[in-house]
C-alpha cells in the first residue's frame, strides 16, 4: 500500500533527520527510573525524550495570537519566515485550518507523533481557539499526541478543560520563584482584566504557576518546565527553580539560553542584555541535573515548526499549498503505524548494542586520577552517524567523552561555510566564526573537510578527524577518546604543562 499526498510517497520508514544522535539530550537510561506508564507516554515524544527526537517528528500550529504577560525576551511576530525562535510564525491559523494542516503533515511525515500549540502568544490566553483545535483533533486524528505550552498564568482555571481533551503533556515556562527576580523579567501581566506591573505582577504569576503545576501533577499530566537563562538576572537562581519544580512533581527541566539579538526587537536585545556562553549554559545545566532530569536537545522552535527537531519543513505546508489537498487519514494511520513499528524495531536493535560503546578506565590503561573529559564536535545530517562535510554543517553536536561513558552536551549553531558539493569559495569570516563557536572542543568529527579549515582548526587547537565517516556517533567519539588516551593526550599533568608554556 502506498500513500501519496502532495506528490510525495512514503512506503518505508523515513531516516531520522535533524539532530540525530543516539545519546542526544543525556544518557539513554535517564528516564529508566520512571514508572512504566510514564515511560510509555514519552518514548516517542521528541520534546520529552532525548532518544525519541532522533526518530520522531513534531509540529506546532499557530492558533493562539494573544498573550497575557509581557516578557523582556519576547517579541511576537505573525508573518515572519526568516527568524527561528519562539513567538515567531509565518501565518496565523484558524482552528479549522490548523486541523487541516496537522492531518496533511501527519500523512506526509508519518514519524510525526506530537502536535503542540505553543503560540505565538499563550495558548491558554486563547482558550476558545486552542480547545476548538484540540477538540477536532481528538476526533479526527486520535493517533497524535496533543501538547500545550503555557506561561501558567491562566493554567489553574483551565486544568480540568485540558484533561477533557486527552492532553497528558504540558510544558510550562518558569523563569523564577522569586518575585524580585520576576520583576526584572516580566514588566507586566494581564490579570482579571487589568495590567499588573512589576513585583506584584510577578508574584501573582509565580503563585499561579506553582498552583497550576501541582494541579497538573495531581491529575497525572506530565510536566516539562522550560527556563530561560538570563545572565545577571536569573542565572544564579535557576538551581533553586529546578529544586522547586522537582518538588512539585515536574519530571523534566529544560534550561535554555537567552536569545537576545538586537534585530529581533526584544527589550533585552535592544538594551544589550547578553545571552550565556556555551560554558555558562553547560555549567548551569550540569548543576541543575543533580536535582532534575535535564533536557539538552531543545532547539527553541518557532511556534509553527514542522518536522524533526533541528529542521523546519513549515514552508512545505503553508495553507496555500495544502488547502485543496484531500487526505485519506484512515490510510495515513495505517502507514503511520507501519513506520512507527519500524522505528521501534530500530530502537530495540540499538538498545541491544548500547553498552558496547562505553569506555572503561581499564581499557585506557590510564590511572583514573590522570584522565579528563574531552569535548568533541560532530557534523551530522542525521541517522545517528557522522555523515556531513565540515563546510556543510549548520550546527554541530557537542559530545563529552570521559573514562566512563559518552554523553551529549549541547548543539552549537553556525553559519554555512561551504555551499558546494566538493569545493568551497571564499568563506574566511564565516569559517572563523565557526571555529569560534567550537571553542572548548578538542576534536571535530566529520565525513570530509577541506585543507583550509583543517589548518585553521589545528591552529585553534582543535583536531579535525575524517576517519570515522559513516560510523555511529557514540562509537566514533569513544574510539577517538581511547586513541587520545593511548597517546597520552588525556594526562592532566601534561595538559597543565601545555597551558603553562602556551
Amino acid at each position: 500500500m502506498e500513500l501519496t499526498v502532495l506528490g510525495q510517497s512514503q512506503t518505508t520508514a523515513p531516516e531520522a533527520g535533524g539532530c540525530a544522535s543516539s545519546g542526544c539530550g543525556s544518557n539513554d537510561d535517564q528516564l529508566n527510573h520512571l514508572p512504566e506508564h510514564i515511560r510509555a507516554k514519552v518514548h516517542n515524544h521528541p520534546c520529552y525524550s532525548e532518544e525519541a527526537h532522533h526518530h520522531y517528528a513534531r509540529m506546532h500550529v499557530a492558533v493562539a495570537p494573544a498573550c497575557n504577560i509581557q516578557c523582556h525576551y519576547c517579541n511576537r511576530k505573525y508573518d515572519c519566515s526568516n527568524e527561528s525562535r519562539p513567538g515567531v510564525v509565518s501565518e496565523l491559523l484558524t482552528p479549522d485550518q490548523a486541523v487541516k494542516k496537522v492531518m496533511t503533515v501527519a500523512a506526509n511525515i508519518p514519524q510525526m507523533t506530537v502536535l503542540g500549540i505553543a503560540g505565538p502568544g499563550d495558548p491558554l490566553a486563547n482558550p476558545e481557539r486552542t480547545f476548538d483545535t484540540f477538540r477536532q483533533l481528538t476526533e479526527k486524528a486520535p493517533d497524535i499526541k496533543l501538547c500545550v505550552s503555557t506561561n501558567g498564568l491562566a493554567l489553574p482555571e483551565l486544568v480540568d478543560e485540558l484533561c477533557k481533551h486527552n492532553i497528558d503533556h504540558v510544558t510550562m515556562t518558569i523563569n523564577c520563584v522569586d518575585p524580585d527576580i520576576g520583576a526584572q523579567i516580566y514588566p507586566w501581566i494581564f490579570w482579571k482584566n487589568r495590567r499588573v506591573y512589576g513585583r506584584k505582577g510577578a508574584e501573582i504569576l509565580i503563585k499561579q504557576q506553582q498552583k497550576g503545576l501541582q494541579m497538573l501533577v495531581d491529575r497525572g499530566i506530565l510536566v516539562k518546565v522550560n527556563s530561560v537563562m538570563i545572565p545577571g538576572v536569573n542565572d544564579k537562581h535557576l538551581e533553586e527553580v529546578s529544586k522547586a519544580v522537582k518538588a512539585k512533581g515536574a519530571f523534566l527541566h529544560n534550561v535554555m539560553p537567552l536569545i537576545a539579538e538586537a534585530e529581533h526587537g526584544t527589550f533585552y536585545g535592544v538594551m544589550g542584555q547578553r545571552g550565556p556562553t556555551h560554558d555558562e549554559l553547560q555549567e548551569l545545566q550540569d548543576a541543575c541535573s543533580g536535582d532534575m532530569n535535564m533536557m539538552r536537545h531543545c532547539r527553541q522552535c518557532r511556534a509553527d515548526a514542522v518536522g524533526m527537531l533541528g529542521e523546519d519543513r513549515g514552508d512545505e505546508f503553508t495553507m496555500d499549498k495544502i488547502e485543496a489537498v484531500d487526505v485519506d487519514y484512515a490510510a495515513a494511520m495505517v502507514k503511520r503505524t507501519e513506520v512507527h513499528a519500524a522505528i521501534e524495531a530500530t530502537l530495540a536493535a540499538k538498545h541491544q548494542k548500547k553498552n558496547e560503546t562505553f569506555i572503561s578506565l581499564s581499557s585506557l590503561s590510564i590511572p583514573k586520577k590522570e584522565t579528563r573529559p574531552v569535548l568533541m564536535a560532530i557534523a551530522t545530517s542525521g541517522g545517528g552517524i557522522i555523515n556531513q562535510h565540515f563546510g556543510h554543517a549548520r550546527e554541530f553536536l557537542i559530545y563529552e567523552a570521559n573514562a566512563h561513558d559518552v554523553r551529549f552536551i549541547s548543539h552549537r549553531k553556525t553559519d554555512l561555510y561551504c555551499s558546494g558539493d566538493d569545493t568551497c569559495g571564499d568563506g574566511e569570516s564565516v569559517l572563523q566564526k565557526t571555529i569560534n563557536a567550537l571553542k572548548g572542543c578538542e576534536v571535530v568529527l566529520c565525513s570530509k573537510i577541506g585543507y583550509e579549515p583543517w589548518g585553521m582548526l589545528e591552529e585553534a587547537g582543535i583536531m579535525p578527524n575524517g576517519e570515522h565517516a559513516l560510523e555511529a556517533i557514540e562509537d566514533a567519539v569513544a574510539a577517538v577518546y581511547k586513541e587520545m588516551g593511548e597517546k597520552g593526550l588525556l594526562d592532566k599533568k601534561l595538559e597543565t604543562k601545555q597551558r603553562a608554556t602556551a
Side-chain angles (χ1 to χ4, degrees), residues 432 435-436 439-441 454-463:
Q432 189 58 56
I435 293 174
N436 292 341
K439 180 181 179 181
C441 296
W454 184 292
M456 291 183 67
L457 284 166
E458 284 190 329
E459 289 178 9
I462 303 173
M463 179 173 60

Side-chain angles (χ1 to χ4, degrees), residues 13-31:
E15 294 183 0
C19 170
S21 72
S22 58
C24 195
S26 57
N27 293 338
D28 285 345
D29 62 357
Q30 182 193 39
L31 303 180

